[in-house]
Structure formats: C-alpha cells, structure tokens
Amino acid sequence: VLEDVTGLCISAKSEMAFAMAKRRPTPETLLEALPQLADETGTESLRILALDGLTDAANVGSLLRVAVGLRATAVLCSAKCCDPFHPKAIRTAFGRGLQIPVIQGCLPTMIRELRDRWNVYTAAAVIQSGSQFLDELGAVPRRWAVVVGSEHFGVSQLVRDACEVLLKVRMAPNVDSLNVVVSAGVLLHGLGQREAPVARATHDGCSSTSADLPQSNEGLADRDAVV
C-alpha cells in the first residue's frame, strides 16, 4: 500500500513493522480512572505525578517515562499541558506513557478532590522561599501526589493553593533550579522513600513493617532498563 500511495520502492519490507493503537475514552471522574482511590485502608501505595502547564512534548514524554520507572500510579496533566499522547511525547517516553493511567483536565480541581475527598497528601514543587526542603520532610502518607510545573512559569498559584505543602530540592549555592524531569525524578524517589511503612502481623502475633521501594540492589537491573 505504501508503494502504491507514494510511488516509492521499499526494499526491506520484511524488516518493517507497523502498529495501531486506539485512545481509550477519557474517564469522566478520577475514581473511574483510579479505582484504588476508594481503598483508604492505607496499606497500598498511591503515587501520583501531576504536570502543570508543561507544553514541551519531549519533557512530557520524559516525565511519563520517569513516572513509570519510579512506580508512579498515575499521571495528571493540566488542561494547558501538552497532549500526553502527542507523537513526540510517545516517542520520547519509549511508549511507557501507554503503561500508566494519564488523566488530563482542570488540575486545581483534581488536586483539591484528591486532598479533600480521597485523603491524598498533596505537594507542589517550587523554588521560592517559604517552601520546605525535601530532605527535611518526615514520614509521608502512602497516598500522595506531587505537582511539577514548567521551567519558565513553575506551578500556578491556583495549584499551589490547592496543595498541602510546597516542596523544593536542596541544591548547591548559586544553582537556581533543576530541569523539570530531573526534579520530578528526585521528588518521586524521595517521597517514595519517606512513605510510612505498613504494619503487618507476623506468625507470632507481633507486627512488622515493610515498604514497597527496594532497600538493596536486588532486582535493580530490570528497573534500570526502564528509566
């Protein structure tokens, strides 16, 4: 068909591969997209990365790849964010964005719903004074969402107002900020490491704690291939 349409002779037909994908219908509610919101027992982690006003498709694709690599549950995108299924975003993400729920809509409304209705700890990444350093943060709930903004405008005021806490990454003097993809990776990993452990009963009736993130190098090879 390609030869008929273009008039070109394709010599390596046997080495070509094609794929088709159909975009799923956009969920009408957060609960429809994330049924685990209804489980408020606190035993399962819920890790959400939110993108506020990012218009560069390559950055959005890289952030989707980072989110999957660091075991995020879902990605939220503001209404003015680049389409997470833009061809360039999909290529940059190496298709990883198709492996995680992605919801695009009014971000301040979604953040407030997560916080007020579903008891999700919400944080916005900023560089301004008055914010808390990530390395000073204590234990966080196992259900959390972190918002990153564009490198030029940052997180919007409406989204900041919707979040419980403003976070920033401690850096060397005279270094203003990090690339948004790097910042998101640091924040996702840092918050994951600070999740409150879950108490589990043992065979002798005592309780023990455990966390989802690995504490050793075992199994890192597979995860390294994703990032």
Side-chain angles (χ1 to χ4, degrees):
V1 175
L2 282 176
E3 290 179 328
D4 292 340
V5 171
T6 64
L8 299 175
C9 179
I10 302 174
S11 59
K13 298 185 186 69
S14 61
E15 299 177 7
M16 298 180 68
F18 297 91
M20 295 181 63
K22 181 179 180 181
R23 180 178 293 197
R24 296 176 180 175
T26 302
E28 295 185 2
T29 64
L30 282 177
L31 183 59
E32 182 183 342
L34 297 170
Q36 54 268 60
L37 283 172
D39 178 15
E40 299 187 60
T41 61
T43 57
E44 298 297 329
S45 293
L46 182 71
R47 304 163 181 156
I48 298 174
L49 175 65
L51 315 182
D52 186 16
L54 277 82
T55 57
D56 184 271
N59 275 345
V60 171
S62 295
L63 285 161
L64 291 171
R65 190 179 181 194
V66 167
V68 173
L70 293 176
R71 298 184 179 184
T73 308
V75 175
L76 306 183
C77 298
S78 68
K80 294 184 178 180
C81 191
C82 167
D83 182 0
F85 299 107
H86 186 284
K88 187 174 182 179
I90 293 177
R91 289 196 304 269
T92 307
F94 284 76
R96 298 294 180 182
L98 304 176
Q99 299 176 338
I100 188 171
V102 181
I103 307 102
Q104 188 163 20
C106 179
L107 191 56
T109 300
M110 290 191 288
I111 293 297
R112 288 191 181 279
E113 180 181 343
L114 288 173
R115 175 183 176 178
D116 298 337
R117 182 178 180 184
W118 303 114
N119 196 30
V120 174
Y121 179 80
T122 54
V126 302
I127 61 173
Q128 287 77 13
S129 59
S131 51
Q132 185 175 0
F133 283 114
L134 175 65
D135 59 14
E136 295 176 344
L137 198 63
V140 300
R142 296 177 65 81
R143 295 158 60 91
W144 51 263
V146 60
V147 187
V148 296
S150 70
E151 294 171 27
H152 183 67
F153 296 106
V155 177
S156 66
Q157 190 61 51
L158 286 175
V159 174
R160 294 187 197 192
D161 293 342
C163 292
E164 295 176 57
V165 65
L166 302 179
L167 284 180
K168 59 183 176 182
V169 177
R170 192 185 300 277
M171 293 177 291
N174 302 320
V175 178
D176 186 30
S177 63
L178 296 171
N179 170 277
V180 65
V181 180
V182 176
S183 297
V186 173
L187 290 163
L188 286 172
H189 184 270
L191 289 169
Q193 290 286 350
R194 288 165 174 78
E195 287 180 6
V198 177
R200 302 182 186 276
T202 62
H203 65 279
D204 58 1
C206 298
S207 62
S208 63
T209 59
S210 64
D212 290 342
L213 290 182
Q215 302 300 316
S216 68
N217 291 328
E218 182 180 357
L220 284 180
D222 291 340
R223 285 186 291 278
D224 288 344
V226 175
V227 180

